[in-house]
Amino acid sequence: YMLVERQGRLCIIDFHAAHERIIFDSLRKRQGGFEIQRLAFPKIMELSLDDHALVMENIKNFAEIGFDIEDFSDNSIRINAVPAVARGEDAERIFEDFLESARSGSGELHVADEMAATVACHAAKRAGERLTAEDMERLAGELFNGERELRCPHGRPFVYRLSREEIERMFKRQ
């Protein structure tokens, strides 16, 4: 978590969810203009017939955020490239997480947004990873510039604000 003072309030920020929002917004804003990371060894994934159909129906949505996917057989796909933001992440695991979300049918996000949310989650900094002071300042600046919703792509808030009065009450100073 990050602690930031802003407008006389203490803000407690879940930095993973906040970073996830920033990546998600970037993925959705820059449709098609992404740097991609070609895989040295393309990944072949065997899928159920329903999952294969879902992926093939949405192949253009995947391409918009930087995936290069092709039909490989009756029920498998080949992943040739991923968005550069997800470099180093397991492409198969990203797809498995996406398919699980799509099957659970929360209905909150469109398929393209669900894929962008899955990529953002995998690419975002995680608890336990070190953030430099510069990383934290950049993250806080992007969060509070007024252009972002202060919720993760699935709708969970990631900023909790405490006023001075609330803090003083906690310490029985009022």
Side-chain angles (χ1 to χ4, degrees), residues 68-81:
D68 177 4
I69 303 166
E70 61 185 283
D71 193 10
F72 192 70
S73 72
D74 289 342
N75 66 328
S76 60
I77 59 170
R78 179 169 57 197
I79 305 168
N80 298 309

Side-chain angles (χ1 to χ4, degrees), residues 41-84:
F41 301 101
K43 302 283 186 181
I44 308 294
M45 283 187 72
E46 294 287 325
L47 304 171
S48 70
L49 291 176
D50 289 341
D51 287 349
H52 183 265
L54 176 67
V55 171
M56 296 316 297
E57 287 169 17
N58 290 284
I59 202 155
K60 286 183 181 177
N61 290 325
F62 294 122
E64 283 180 4
I65 62 170
F67 281 93
D68 177 4
I69 303 166
E70 61 185 283
D71 193 10
F72 192 70
S73 72
D74 289 342
N75 66 328
S76 60
I77 59 170
R78 179 169 57 197
I79 305 168
N80 298 309
V82 298

Side-chain angles (χ1 to χ4, degrees), residues 47-163:
L47 304 171
S48 70
L49 291 176
D50 289 341
D51 287 349
H52 183 265
L54 176 67
V55 171
M56 296 316 297
E57 287 169 17
N58 290 284
I59 202 155
K60 286 183 181 177
N61 290 325
F62 294 122
E64 283 180 4
I65 62 170
F67 281 93
D68 177 4
I69 303 166
E70 61 185 283
D71 193 10
F72 192 70
S73 72
D74 289 342
N75 66 328
S76 60
I77 59 170
R78 179 169 57 197
I79 305 168
N80 298 309
V82 298
V85 70
R87 97 178 82 225
E89 298 298 324
D90 183 348
E92 289 178 77
R93 187 160 173 225
I94 291 172
F95 264 86
E96 288 166 2
D97 287 354
F98 160 72
L99 291 168
E100 185 177 318
S101 293
R103 281 191 300 267
S104 71
S106 67
E108 290 181 31
L109 296 176
H110 177 271
V111 171
D113 289 339
E114 190 67 56
M115 189 67 222
T118 302
V119 169
C121 183
H122 280 265
K125 297 257 187 205
R126 300 201 179 280
E129 288 186 45
R130 288 207 171 272
L131 292 177
T132 66
E134 289 173 354
D135 290 337
M136 288 185 269
E137 286 178 25
R138 185 173 40 253
L139 185 66
E142 286 191 41
L143 292 178
F144 296 119
N145 67 7
E147 296 175 15
R148 297 197 193 283
E149 183 176 351
L150 299 180
R151 296 181 176 280
C152 79
H154 291 99
R156 291 181 302 277
F158 56 75
V159 176
Y160 185 78
R161 294 178 179 99
L162 288 170
S163 68

